[in-house]
Coordinates of all heavy atoms in Angstrom, one line a residue:
K1033 N 76.6 -6.3 25.0 CA 76.2 -5.8 26.2 C 75.8 -4.4 26.3 O 76.1 -3.6 25.5 CB 77.6 -5.9 27.2 CG 78.2 -7.2 27.5 CD 79.3 -7.1 28.3 CE 80.2 -8.4 28.5 NZ 81.3 -8.2 29.3
K1034 N 75.0 -4.1 27.4 CA 74.5 -2.8 27.4 C 75.5 -1.8 27.7 O 75.4 -0.5 27.1 CB 73.3 -2.8 28.6 CG 72.6 -1.5 28.6 CD 71.6 -1.6 29.7 CE 70.7 -0.4 29.7 NZ 69.7 -0.4 30.6
T1035 N 76.5 -2.0 28.5 CA 77.6 -1.1 28.9 C 78.4 -0.8 27.6 O 78.8 0.4 27.5 CB 78.5 -1.5 30.0 OG1 79.0 -2.8 29.6 CG2 77.7 -1.7 31.2
D1036 N 78.6 -1.7 26.8 CA 79.3 -1.4 25.6 C 78.6 -0.4 24.6 O 79.2 0.6 24.0 CB 79.6 -2.6 24.7 CG 80.6 -3.6 25.5 OD1 81.4 -3.1 26.3 OD2 80.6 -4.8 25.1
K1037 N 77.2 -0.5 24.6 CA 76.5 0.3 23.8 C 76.6 1.8 24.4 O 76.6 2.8 23.6 CB 75.0 -0.1 23.6 CG 74.9 -1.3 22.7 CD 73.6 -1.6 22.4 CE 73.5 -2.8 21.5 NZ 73.0 -2.6 20.2
V1038 N 76.4 1.8 25.7 CA 76.6 3.2 26.3 C 77.9 3.9 26.0 O 78.0 5.1 25.7 CB 76.3 3.0 28.0 CG1 76.6 4.4 28.6 CG2 74.9 2.7 28.2
G1039 N 79.0 3.0 26.2 CA 80.3 3.6 25.9 C 80.5 4.0 24.4 O 81.0 5.1 24.2
E1040 N 79.9 3.2 23.5 CA 80.0 3.6 22.2 C 79.2 4.9 21.8 O 79.7 5.7 21.0 CB 79.3 2.5 21.3 CG 79.4 2.6 19.9 CD 78.9 1.4 19.0 OE1 78.8 0.3 19.6 OE2 78.4 1.6 18.0
G1041 N 78.0 5.0 22.4 CA 77.2 6.2 22.3 C 78.0 7.5 22.8 O 78.1 8.6 22.1
N1042 N 78.7 7.2 23.9 CA 79.5 8.3 24.6 C 80.6 8.7 23.5 O 80.9 10.0 23.5 CB 80.0 8.0 25.8 CG 78.9 7.8 26.9 OD1 78.0 8.5 26.7 ND2 79.3 7.3 28.0
R1043 N 81.3 7.8 23.0 CA 82.4 8.0 22.1 C 81.9 8.8 20.8 O 82.5 9.7 20.4 CB 83.2 6.7 21.8 CG 84.1 6.3 22.9 CD 85.0 5.1 22.3 NE 84.1 3.9 22.2 CZ 83.8 3.0 23.2 NH1 84.2 3.2 24.4 NH2 83.1 2.0 22.9
E1044 N 80.7 8.4 20.3 CA 80.1 9.1 19.2 C 79.9 10.5 19.5 O 80.1 11.4 18.7 CB 78.8 8.4 18.7 CG 79.1 7.2 17.8 CD 77.9 6.6 17.3 OE1 76.8 7.2 17.1 OE2 77.7 5.4 17.2
R1045 N 79.2 10.8 20.6 CA 78.8 12.0 21.1 C 80.1 12.9 21.2 O 80.0 14.1 20.8 CB 78.0 12.0 22.3 CG 76.4 12.0 22.1 CD 75.8 12.4 23.2 NE 76.0 11.5 24.4 CZ 75.6 10.2 24.7 NH1 74.9 9.7 23.8 NH2 76.0 9.5 25.8
R1046 N 81.0 12.4 21.8 CA 82.4 13.2 22.0 C 82.9 13.4 20.6 O 83.4 14.6 20.5 CB 83.3 12.3 22.9 CG 84.5 13.1 23.2 CD 85.5 12.4 24.3 NE 85.5 11.0 24.2 CZ 85.0 10.1 25.2 NH1 84.6 10.7 26.3 NH2 85.0 8.9 25.1
A1047 N 83.0 12.5 19.7 CA 83.5 12.9 18.3 C 82.8 13.9 17.8 O 83.3 14.7 17.1 CB 83.6 11.5 17.7
L1048 N 81.5 13.9 17.7 CA 80.6 14.9 17.2 C 80.8 16.2 17.7 O 80.9 17.2 17.0 CB 79.2 14.5 17.3 CG 78.7 13.3 16.4 CD1 77.2 12.8 16.7 CD2 78.9 13.8 14.9
K1049 N 81.0 16.3 19.1 CA 81.2 17.5 19.7 C 82.5 18.1 19.4 O 82.7 19.3 19.2 CB 81.2 17.3 21.3 CG 81.2 18.4 22.2 CD 81.0 18.0 23.6 CE 81.0 19.2 24.5 NZ 80.8 18.8 25.9
E1050 N 83.5 17.3 19.3 CA 85.0 17.8 18.8 C 84.9 18.2 17.4 O 85.5 19.2 17.1 CB 86.0 16.6 19.0 CG 86.2 16.3 20.5 CD 87.2 15.2 20.6 OE1 87.7 14.7 19.7 OE2 87.4 14.7 21.7
E1051 N 84.1 17.6 16.5 CA 84.1 18.0 15.2 C 83.3 19.3 15.1 O 83.7 20.2 14.3 CB 83.2 17.0 14.2 CG 83.1 17.2 12.9 CD 82.3 16.2 12.1 OE1 82.1 15.1 12.6 OE2 81.8 16.6 11.1
K1052 N 82.3 19.5 15.9 CA 81.5 20.9 15.8 C 82.4 22.0 16.3 O 82.4 23.1 15.8 CB 80.3 20.6 16.8 CG 79.4 21.8 16.7 CD 78.1 21.5 17.5 CE 77.1 22.6 17.5 NZ 76.0 22.3 18.4
K1053 N 83.2 21.6 17.4 CA 84.0 22.7 17.9 C 85.2 23.0 16.8 O 85.6 24.2 16.7 CB 84.9 22.0 19.2 CG 85.7 23.1 20.0 CD 86.4 22.5 21.2 CE 87.3 23.5 21.8 NZ 87.8 22.9 23.0
A1054 N 85.8 22.1 16.2 CA 86.7 22.3 15.1 C 86.2 23.1 14.0 O 86.9 24.0 13.5 CB 87.3 21.1 14.6
A1055 N 84.9 22.8 13.6 CA 84.3 23.6 12.6 C 84.1 25.1 13.0 O 84.3 26.0 12.2 CB 83.0 23.0 12.2
R1056 N 83.8 25.2 14.2 CA 83.5 26.6 14.7 C 84.8 27.4 14.7 O 84.9 28.5 14.4 CB 82.9 26.6 16.1 CG 81.5 26.3 16.1 CD 80.9 26.3 17.5 NE 79.5 26.0 17.5 CZ 78.7 25.8 18.5 NH1 79.2 26.0 19.8 NH2 77.4 25.6 18.4
M1057 N 85.8 26.6 15.1 CA 87.3 27.3 15.3 C 87.7 27.7 13.9 O 88.5 28.6 13.8 CB 88.2 26.4 16.0 CG 87.9 26.4 17.5 SD 88.9 25.2 18.4 CE 90.6 25.8 18.0
A1058 N 87.3 27.0 12.8 CA 87.9 27.3 11.5 C 87.1 28.4 11.0 O 87.6 29.1 10.1 CB 87.5 26.0 10.5
V1059 N 85.9 28.7 11.4 CA 85.1 29.9 10.9 C 85.5 31.2 11.7 O 85.2 32.3 11.1 CB 83.6 29.5 11.0 CG1 82.7 30.7 10.7 CG2 83.3 28.3 10.1
V1060 N 85.9 31.0 12.9 CA 86.1 32.2 13.7 C 87.0 33.3 13.1 O 86.7 34.5 13.1 CB 86.7 31.9 15.2 CG1 87.3 33.0 15.9 CG2 85.6 31.2 15.9
P1061 N 88.1 33.0 12.5 CA 88.9 34.1 11.8 C 88.1 34.8 10.8 O 88.3 36.0 10.7 CB 90.1 33.3 11.2 CG 90.2 32.0 11.9 CD 88.8 31.7 12.5
A1062 N 87.5 34.2 10.0 CA 86.6 34.7 8.9 C 85.5 35.9 9.5 O 85.3 36.9 9.1 CB 85.9 33.8 8.0
L1063 N 84.9 35.2 10.6 CA 83.9 36.1 11.3 C 84.6 37.4 11.9 O 84.1 38.4 11.9 CB 83.2 35.4 12.2 CG 82.2 34.2 11.8 CD1 81.7 33.4 13.0 CD2 81.1 34.7 10.9
Q1064 N 85.7 37.1 12.5 CA 86.4 38.3 13.1 C 86.9 39.4 12.0 O 86.8 40.6 12.3 CB 87.7 37.8 13.9 CG 88.4 38.9 14.7 CD 87.5 39.5 15.8 OE1 87.0 38.8 16.6 NE2 87.4 40.8 15.7
A1065 N 87.4 38.8 10.9 CA 87.8 39.7 9.9 C 86.6 40.5 9.4 O 86.8 41.7 9.1 CB 88.4 38.9 8.7
E1066 N 85.4 39.9 9.3 CA 84.3 40.6 8.7 C 83.9 41.7 9.8 O 83.5 42.9 9.4 CB 83.1 39.6 8.7 CG 81.9 40.1 8.1 CD 80.9 39.0 7.9 OE1 81.1 37.9 7.3 OE2 79.7 39.2 8.4
E1067 N 83.9 41.5 11.1 CA 83.6 42.4 12.1 C 84.6 43.4 12.1 O 84.3 44.5 12.3 CB 83.5 41.6 13.5 CG 83.2 42.6 14.7 CD 82.0 43.4 14.6 OE1 81.2 42.9 13.8 OE2 81.9 44.4 15.3
D1068 N 85.9 43.2 11.9 CA 86.9 44.2 11.9 C 86.6 45.1 10.8 O 86.9 46.3 11.0 CB 88.3 43.6 11.8 CG 88.7 42.8 13.1 OD1 88.2 42.9 14.1 OD2 89.8 42.0 12.9
R1069 N 86.3 44.6 9.7 CA 86.0 45.4 8.5 C 84.8 46.3 8.6 O 84.9 47.6 8.4 CB 85.7 44.5 7.3 CG 86.3 44.9 6.0 CD 86.2 44.0 4.7 NE 85.5 42.7 5.0 CZ 86.1 41.6 5.2 NH1 87.5 41.6 5.3 NH2 85.5 40.5 5.4
R1070 N 83.9 45.7 9.3 CA 82.6 46.5 9.7 C 82.9 47.6 10.7 O 82.6 48.7 10.4 CB 81.5 45.6 10.2 CG 80.2 46.4 10.6 CD 79.4 45.7 11.6 NE 80.1 45.7 12.9 CZ 80.0 46.8 13.7 NH1 79.5 48.0 13.4 NH2 80.8 46.7 14.9
Y1071 N 83.7 47.3 11.6 CA 84.1 48.3 12.6 C 85.0 49.4 11.9 O 84.7 50.6 12.3 CB 85.0 47.7 13.7 CG 85.6 48.7 14.6 CD1 84.8 49.2 15.7 CD2 86.9 49.1 14.6 CE1 85.3 50.2 16.5 CE2 87.5 50.0 15.4 CZ 86.8 50.5 16.3 OH 87.3 51.6 17.2
L1072 N 85.9 49.1 11.1 CA 86.7 50.1 10.5 C 85.9 51.1 9.6 O 86.1 52.4 9.6 CB 87.8 49.6 9.6 CG 89.0 48.9 10.5 CD1 90.0 48.2 9.6 CD2 89.7 50.1 11.3
E1073 N 84.9 50.5 8.8 CA 84.0 51.4 8.0 C 83.3 52.3 8.9 O 83.2 53.6 8.6 CB 83.1 50.5 7.3 CG 83.8 49.7 6.1 CD 82.9 48.8 5.4 OE1 81.7 48.7 5.7 OE2 83.4 48.1 4.5
K1074 N 82.7 51.8 10.0 CA 81.8 52.6 10.8 C 82.7 53.7 11.6 O 82.3 54.9 11.7 CB 81.3 51.7 11.8 CG 80.3 52.4 12.7 CD 79.5 51.4 13.7 CE 78.5 52.1 14.5 NZ 77.8 51.2 15.4
E1075 N 84.0 53.3 12.0 CA 84.8 54.3 12.6 C 85.3 55.3 11.8 O 85.3 56.5 12.0 CB 86.0 53.5 13.3 CG 87.0 54.3 14.1 CD 86.4 54.9 15.4 OE1 85.3 54.4 15.8 OE2 87.0 55.7 16.1
T1076 N 85.6 54.9 10.3 CA 86.0 56.0 9.5 C 84.9 57.0 9.2 O 85.1 58.2 9.2 CB 86.2 55.3 8.1 OG1 87.5 54.4 8.3 CG2 86.8 56.3 7.1
K1077 N 83.6 56.6 9.1 CA 82.5 57.4 9.0 C 82.3 58.4 10.1 O 81.9 59.5 10.0 CB 81.2 56.6 8.6 CG 81.2 56.0 7.3 CD 80.0 55.1 7.1 CE 80.0 54.4 5.7 NZ 78.9 53.6 5.6
R1078 N 82.5 57.7 11.4 CA 82.3 58.5 12.6 C 83.4 59.7 12.8 O 83.1 60.8 13.1 CB 82.4 57.6 13.8 CG 82.1 58.3 15.1 CD 82.4 57.4 16.2 NE 83.8 57.3 16.5 CZ 84.7 58.2 17.0 NH1 84.1 59.3 17.4 NH2 85.9 58.1 17.0
L1079 N 84.6 59.3 12.3 CA 85.6 60.3 12.4 C 85.5 61.4 11.3 O 85.7 62.5 11.6 CB 87.1 59.7 12.1 CG 87.5 58.8 13.3 CD1 88.9 58.0 12.9 CD2 87.7 59.5 14.6
E1080 N 85.0 61.0 10.2 CA 84.7 62.0 9.1 C 83.6 63.0 9.6 O 83.6 64.3 9.5 CB 84.3 61.5 7.9 CG 85.4 60.7 7.1 CD 85.0 59.9 5.9 OE1 83.6 59.7 5.7 OE2 85.8 59.2 5.3
E1081 N 82.5 62.4 10.1 CA 81.5 63.3 10.7 C 82.0 64.1 11.9 O 81.6 65.3 12.0 CB 80.4 62.3 11.2 CG 79.1 63.0 11.7 CD 78.4 63.7 10.6 OE1 78.4 63.3 9.4 OE2 77.7 64.7 10.8
E1082 N 82.8 63.6 12.7 CA 83.3 64.4 13.9 C 84.1 65.6 13.2 O 84.1 66.8 13.8 CB 84.2 63.5 14.7 CG 84.8 64.3 15.9 CD 85.7 63.4 16.8 OE1 85.5 62.2 16.7 OE2 86.5 64.0 17.4
A1083 N 85.0 65.2 12.4 CA 85.8 66.4 11.7 C 85.0 67.5 11.1 O 85.4 68.6 11.3 CB 86.7 65.7 10.5
K1084 N 83.8 67.1 10.4 CA 82.9 68.2 9.8 C 82.3 68.9 11.0 O 82.2 70.1 11.0 CB 81.9 67.5 9.0 CG 82.3 67.1 7.7 CD 81.1 66.7 6.9 CE 81.0 65.4 6.5 NZ 79.9 64.8 5.9
L1085 N 81.8 68.2 12.0 CA 81.1 68.8 13.1 C 82.1 69.7 14.0 O 81.6 70.8 14.4 CB 80.4 67.7 14.0 CG 79.5 68.2 15.2 CD1 78.4 68.7 14.5 CD2 79.2 67.0 16.0
M1086 N 83.2 69.4 14.2 CA 84.1 70.1 15.1 C 85.2 71.0 14.4 O 86.1 71.5 15.1 CB 84.7 69.1 16.1 CG 83.8 68.3 16.9 SD 82.7 69.2 18.0 CE 83.8 69.5 19.3
K1087 N 85.0 71.2 13.1 CA 86.0 72.0 12.4 C 86.2 73.3 13.0 O 87.4 73.9 12.8 CB 85.6 72.0 10.9 CG 84.4 72.7 10.6 CD 84.0 72.7 9.1 CE 82.7 73.4 8.8 NZ 82.3 73.2 7.5
D1088 N 85.3 74.0 13.6 CA 85.4 75.4 14.0 C 85.9 75.5 15.5 O 85.9 76.6 16.0 CB 84.1 76.1 13.8 CG 83.7 76.2 12.4 OD1 84.6 76.3 11.5 OD2 82.4 76.2 12.0
V1089 N 86.1 74.3 16.0 CA 86.5 74.3 17.5 C 88.0 74.3 17.6 O 88.6 73.4 17.3 CB 85.9 73.1 18.2 CG1 86.4 73.0 19.6 CG2 84.3 73.0 18.2
P1090 N 88.5 75.4 18.1 CA 90.0 75.4 18.2 C 90.6 74.5 19.2 O 90.1 74.1 20.3 CB 90.3 76.9 18.6 CG 89.0 77.4 19.3 CD 87.9 76.5 18.8
G1091 N 91.7 73.9 18.7 CA 92.4 72.8 19.4 C 91.8 71.4 19.5 O 92.2 70.5 20.2
W1092 N 90.7 71.3 18.7 CA 90.0 69.9 18.8 C 90.7 68.9 17.8 O 91.1 69.2 16.7 CB 88.6 70.0 18.3 CG 87.8 68.7 18.4 CD1 87.7 67.9 17.4 CD2 87.2 68.2 19.4 NE1 87.0 66.6 17.8 CE2 86.7 67.0 19.2 CE3 87.1 68.7 20.8 CZ2 86.1 66.1 20.1 CZ3 86.3 67.9 21.7 CH2 85.9 66.7 21.3
K1093 N 91.1 67.8 18.3 CA 91.8 66.8 17.6 C 90.9 65.7 17.4 O 90.3 65.1 18.2 CB 93.0 66.3 18.4 CG 94.1 67.3 18.6 CD 95.2 66.7 19.6 CE 96.2 67.8 19.8 NZ 97.1 67.3 20.7
V1094 N 90.6 65.4 16.1 CA 89.7 64.5 15.5 C 90.1 63.1 16.1 O 91.2 62.7 15.9 CB 89.4 64.4 14.1 CG1 88.6 63.3 13.6 CG2 88.9 65.8 13.7
G1095 N 89.3 62.3 16.7 CA 89.5 60.9 17.2 C 90.1 60.8 18.5 O 90.1 59.8 19.1
Q1096 N 90.4 62.1 19.0 CA 90.9 61.9 20.4 C 89.8 62.2 21.4 O 89.1 63.1 21.3 CB 92.0 63.0 20.6 CG 92.6 62.9 22.1 CD 93.9 63.8 22.2 OE1 94.3 64.4 21.2 NE2 94.4 64.0 23.4
G1097 N 89.6 61.3 22.2 CA 88.5 61.3 23.2 C 88.8 62.4 24.2 O 89.9 62.8 24.5
V1098 N 87.7 62.8 25.0 CA 87.8 63.6 26.0 C 88.5 63.1 27.1 O 89.3 63.6 27.9 CB 86.3 64.2 26.5 CG1 86.5 65.2 27.6 CG2 85.7 64.8 25.3
Y1099 N 88.3 61.8 27.4 CA 88.9 61.1 28.5 C 89.9 60.2 27.9 O 89.7 59.0 27.8 CB 87.8 60.4 29.3 CG 86.7 61.2 29.8 CD1 85.5 61.1 29.1 CD2 87.0 62.0 30.8 CE1 84.4 62.0 29.6 CE2 85.9 62.8 31.2 CZ 84.6 62.7 30.6 OH 83.6 63.6 31.1
E1100 N 91.1 60.7 27.5 CA 92.2 59.9 26.9 C 92.9 59.0 28.0 O 93.5 59.6 28.9 CB 93.1 60.9 26.0 CG 93.8 60.2 24.9 CD 93.0 59.5 24.0 OE1 92.0 60.1 23.5 OE2 93.5 58.3 23.6
T1101 N 92.9 57.8 27.7 CA 93.6 57.0 28.8 C 95.0 56.4 28.1 O 95.9 55.9 28.9 CB 92.8 55.6 29.1 OG1 92.6 54.9 28.0 CG2 91.5 56.2 29.9
G1102 N 95.2 56.5 26.9 CA 96.3 55.9 26.1 C 96.2 54.4 25.9 O 97.0 53.9 25.2
K1103 N 95.2 53.9 26.4 CA 94.9 52.4 26.0 C 93.8 52.2 25.2 O 92.7 52.8 25.4 CB 94.6 51.8 27.4 CG 94.6 50.3 27.3 CD 94.2 49.6 28.6 CE 94.0 48.1 28.5 NZ 93.6 47.5 29.8
W1104 N 93.9 51.5 24.1 CA 92.8 51.4 23.1 C 91.8 50.4 23.5 O 92.2 49.3 24.1 CB 93.4 50.9 21.8 CG 92.3 50.9 20.7 CD1 91.8 51.8 20.0 CD2 91.4 49.8 20.3 NE1 90.8 51.5 19.3 CE2 90.5 50.2 19.5 CE3 91.4 48.4 20.8 CZ2 89.6 49.3 18.9 CZ3 90.4 47.5 20.2 CH2 89.7 48.0 19.3
M1105 N 90.7 50.7 23.6 CA 89.5 49.9 23.9 C 88.5 50.0 22.7 O 88.1 51.0 22.4 CB 89.0 50.1 25.2 CG 89.8 49.7 26.3 SD 89.1 50.1 28.0 CE 87.8 48.8 28.0
P1106 N 87.8 48.9 22.3 CA 86.7 49.1 21.4 C 85.6 49.8 22.0 O 85.4 49.5 23.2 CB 86.4 47.6 21.0 CG 86.9 46.8 22.0 CD 88.1 47.5 22.6
P1107 N 84.9 50.6 21.3 CA 83.8 51.4 21.9 C 82.6 50.4 22.2 O 82.4 49.4 21.5 CB 83.4 52.4 20.8 CG 84.0 51.8 19.6 CD 85.1 51.0 19.9
A1108 N 82.0 50.8 23.2 CA 80.8 50.0 23.5 C 79.7 50.4 22.6 O 79.4 51.6 22.5 CB 80.4 50.3 25.1
E1109 N 79.1 49.5 22.1 CA 77.9 49.8 21.1 C 76.7 49.3 21.7 O 76.6 48.2 22.2 CB 78.3 49.0 19.8 CG 79.4 49.7 19.1 CD 79.6 48.9 17.6 OE1 78.6 48.4 17.2 OE2 80.8 49.0 17.1
R1110 N 75.8 50.1 21.5 CA 74.4 49.8 22.0 C 73.7 49.1 20.8 O 73.5 49.7 19.7 CB 73.6 50.9 22.3 CG 72.4 50.7 23.2 CD 71.8 51.9 23.7 NE 70.6 52.1 22.8 CZ 70.1 53.3 22.4 NH1 70.5 54.3 23.0 NH2 69.1 53.4 21.6
P1111 N 73.3 47.8 21.0 CA 72.7 47.1 19.8 C 71.3 47.7 19.5 O 70.5 48.3 20.4 CB 72.6 45.6 20.4 CG 72.5 45.8 21.9 CD 73.5 47.0 22.2
G1112 N 70.9 47.6 18.3 CA 69.6 48.0 18.0 C 68.5 47.1 18.4 O 68.6 46.3 19.3
P1113 N 67.4 47.0 17.7 CA 66.4 46.1 18.1 C 66.8 44.7 18.0 O 67.9 44.2 17.3 CB 65.3 46.3 17.0 CG 65.6 47.6 16.3 CD 67.0 47.9 16.5
V1114 N 66.2 43.7 18.7 CA 66.6 42.4 18.8 C 66.6 41.8 17.5 O 65.7 41.9 16.7 CB 65.7 41.6 19.7 CG1 66.1 40.2 19.8 CG2 65.7 42.1 21.2
G1115 N 67.7 41.1 17.1 CA 67.8 40.5 15.9 C 68.3 41.4 14.7 O 68.5 40.8 13.6
S1116 N 68.6 42.6 15.0 CA 69.0 43.5 13.9 C 70.5 43.3 13.5 O 70.9 43.7 12.4 CB 68.9 45.0 14.3 OG 69.7 45.2 15.4
Y1117 N 71.2 42.6 14.3 CA 72.6 42.4 14.0 C 72.9 40.9 13.4 O 73.9 40.6 13.1 CB 73.4 42.5 15.3 CG 72.9 41.7 16.4 CD1 73.3 40.3 16.6 CD2 72.0 42.2 17.3 CE1 72.8 39.6 17.7 CE2 71.5 41.5 18.4 CZ 71.9 40.1 18.5 OH 71.4 39.4 19.5
L1118 N 71.7 40.3 13.2 CA 71.8 38.9 12.6 C 71.9 39.0 11.1 O 71.3 39.7 10.4 CB 70.8 38.0 13.0 CG 70.8 37.8 14.6 CD1 69.5 36.9 15.0 CD2 71.9 37.0 15.0

């Protein structure tokens, strides 16, 4: 019957979609760890540069923003040319 084939196709598509989702979910922790590592390296370099630049400014605390809210938020990054982050 035609309806059986439609239902079978729908079940196949749903199974493939679930498999794809599971595969993506398995990779996300590794991707997040990679991004965290990249962020920490970049932040460490930035703080070192800030320390060198502001060493003669009295009362300057390295890493403390001018607008300190007490709540950590990742810095907004402006991406480079399209595709540079791939």
Side-chain angles (χ1 to χ4, degrees):
K1033 290 181 184 179
K1034 188 176 183 179
T1035 56
D1036 290 340
K1037 289 190 182 242
V1038 170
E1040 187 179 328
N1042 287 342
R1043 282 187 291 278
E1044 274 185 39
R1045 267 193 307 281
R1046 186 172 31 244
L1048 288 172
K1049 191 174 180 180
E1050 288 175 9
E1051 182 181 344
K1052 187 175 183 179
K1053 183 178 178 182
R1056 286 181 178 175
M1057 288 175 57
V1059 172
V1060 165
L1063 294 175
Q1064 185 63 53
E1066 187 177 305
E1067 176 59 22
D1068 290 348
R1069 220 174 357 266
R1070 184 204 64 81
Y1071 171 78
L1072 284 174
E1073 287 174 7
K1074 187 173 180 181
E1075 185 66 7
T1076 301
K1077 288 178 185 176
R1078 188 190 68 77
L1079 291 173
E1080 288 171 358
E1081 186 66 26
E1082 180 182 336
K1084 278 192 249 176
L1085 186 66
M1086 302 301 283
K1087 67 182 176 193
D1088 298 327
V1089 177
W1092 185 264
K1093 295 179 184 171
V1094 175
Q1096 184 173 355
V1098 178
Y1099 306 105
E1100 197 62 41
T1101 63
K1103 181 179 177 184
W1104 185 86
M1105 291 182 65
E1109 292 185 19
R1110 199 177 97 205
V1114 175
S1116 66
Y1117 51 88
L1118 295 176

